[in-house]
Amino acid sequence: MTDALDAHIIEDVADALIYSDRSGTIMRWNRASTALFGFAADEALGQNLDLIIPEHLRPAHWKGFEAALASGTMKLAGRPTLTRALHKSGRKLYIEMTFALVRDAAGAVQGSVAMARDVTERVERERAAKASHN
């Protein structure tokens, strides 16, 4: 019963939920992820996270990812972070993400989960307002 309930919760939350294993392979991808990034679950599952990370941000992402796995801690854990992401169409999005490490029953890090939401309109509105005040 709990597994079915967990699956429904993951599918039905409003934010994109992406779980990747230690190698950065996408293992969970909910409906909100499809809506946000444009990739259907069968296109994203089994792919590397680079699928949605703009090329210029990949070195920094992987450095942080590897450091978090090695140390078992995340600098950004629980704090929303504004970053860029790639949509299937190739356009860049502004997204706000939160991250957490996923551990097994023994406490060993199994991977990482991220929750993301599109904030492109908000960021562009803020930038336009700032530019009009200069």
Side-chain angles (χ1 to χ4, degrees):
M1 167 82 181
T2 326
D3 288 345
L5 179 61
D6 290 351
H8 283 295
I9 291 168
I10 289 168
E11 265 315 294
D12 294 340
V13 292
D15 288 342
L17 183 142
I18 303 154
Y19 168 71
S20 69
D21 65 11
R22 292 182 63 91
S23 71
T25 300
I26 299 167
M27 305 302 286
R28 291 301 296 258
W29 183 268
N30 68 354
R31 275 195 294 255
S33 298
T34 297
L36 177 57
F37 299 107
F39 295 97
D42 63 353
E43 294 175 295
L45 292 171
Q47 298 297 313
N48 187 278
L49 288 169
D50 284 349
L51 183 71
I52 58 170
I53 302 170
E55 197 168 331
H56 72 284
L57 294 178
R58 290 175 189 166
H61 169 269
W62 291 113
K63 182 179 177 192
F65 187 88
E66 295 298 330
L69 292 180
S71 69
T73 61
M74 298 182 116
K75 280 194 300 192
L76 303 171
R79 290 199 313 272
T81 304
L82 180 67
T83 189
R84 299 302 299 265
L86 284 177
H87 186 273
K88 182 179 179 179
S89 67
R91 75 186 157 91
K92 289 197 177 107
L93 308 167
Y94 284 99
I95 60 169
E96 202 168 69
M97 296 190 94
T98 54
F99 304 93
L101 292 173
V102 177
R103 299 173 189 276
D104 65 13
V109 176
Q110 298 299 296
S112 171
V113 65
M115 298 284 287
R117 66 178 46 160
D118 188 352
V119 294
T120 304
E121 285 183 28
R122 183 189 83 201
V123 170
E124 289 175 350
R125 237 187 354 262
E126 289 169 357
R127 291 195 170 169
K130 196 173 187 177
S132 71
H133 286 68
N134 290 337

